[in-house]
């Protein structure tokens, strides 16, 4: 077994008139995340961690914002595309964890659904992806509610 870890981080700004997509779940909130895509920071951080662990480069390299194919791509669809890349590389995801950093809304009721949807998008057994959430106690941009961030780690078996 050739174990590799990956770490991904993402943040997007909150804006009026957008659905809030996190981990593939539409979370009821007055504002949503702005982005070239749907701004799903949980999916983006996880995708970044997975690509990094597999040695497949960065999210920006793999999904350039200049490429119309990826315009408005849903986070879950982006994870699906990463899942195909991992399969091509014969990489196996052993476990992953995503932490969403948001002052509001309260995410606890949605965490298990986010974990389920992200694992499914990647074609992984339920339970492979764990999701938690935290606030920054009012500190910084996430604390002021200007945006939402996420951090993810992943452990993969990547054959040499
Ligand atoms: Mg992003």
């Amino acid at each position: 077994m050739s174990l590799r870890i990956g770490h991904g981080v993402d943040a997007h700004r909150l804006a009026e008139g957008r659905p809030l997509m996190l981990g593939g779940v539409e979370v009821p909130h007055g504002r949503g995340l702005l982005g070239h895509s749907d701004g799903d920071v949980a999916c983006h951080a996880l995708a970044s961690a997975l690509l990094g662990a597999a040695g497949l480069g960065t999210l920006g390299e793999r999904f350039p914002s200049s490429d119309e194919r990826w315009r408005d791509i849903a986070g879950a669809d982006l994870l699906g595309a990463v899942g195909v890349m991992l399969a091509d590389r014969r990489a196996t995801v052993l476990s992953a964890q995503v932490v969403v950093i948001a002052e509001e809304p309260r995410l606890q009721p949605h965490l298990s659904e986010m974990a389920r949807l992200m694992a499914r998008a990647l074609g992984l057994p339920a339970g492979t992806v764990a999701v938690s959430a935290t606030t920054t106690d009012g500190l910084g941009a996430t604390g002021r509610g200007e945006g939402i961030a996420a951090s993810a780690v992943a452990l993969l078996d990547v054959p040499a």
Side-chain angles (χ1 to χ4, degrees):
M1 203 177 251
S2 177
L3 297 179
R4 300 296 182 95
I5 60 166
H7 180 210
V9 173
D10 193 27
H12 282 263
R13 187 179 293 275
L14 281 164
E16 306 283 342
R18 302 261 303 177
L20 176 57
M21 299 304 298
L22 288 171
V25 175
E26 184 171 346
V27 177
H29 192 47
R31 297 181 297 160
L33 294 168
L34 267 184
H36 175 75
S37 63
D38 67 352
D40 189 329
V41 290
C43 288
H44 296 179
L46 178 56
S48 177
L50 294 167
L51 291 174
L56 292 173
T58 67
L59 208 57
E61 289 166 349
R62 288 285 170 163
F63 301 92
S65 55
S66 56
D67 189 331
E68 282 299 315
R69 274 183 303 167
W70 311 124
R71 175 175 290 281
D72 295 328
I73 187 172
D77 292 338
L78 185 137
L79 281 178
V82 168
V84 171
M85 293 173 188
L86 295 176
D88 286 346
R89 180 64 186 84
R90 292 183 299 122
T92 305
V93 182
L94 301 176
S95 71
Q97 189 192 1
V98 182
V99 181
V100 180
I101 304 159
E103 201 64 26
E104 58 179 16
R106 203 172 111 73
L107 297 175
Q108 184 65 36
H110 307 286
L111 299 179
S112 60
E113 181 68 357
M114 290 180 204
R116 192 182 70 79
L117 287 181
M118 288 194 284
R120 191 178 71 177
L122 287 160
L124 298 173
T128 308
V129 178
V131 184
S132 60
T134 188
T135 71
T136 49
D137 200 19
L139 295 169
T142 54
R144 290 188 297 270
E146 294 169 10
I148 291 178
S151 174
V153 290
L155 181 68
L156 275 62
D157 179 14
V158 184

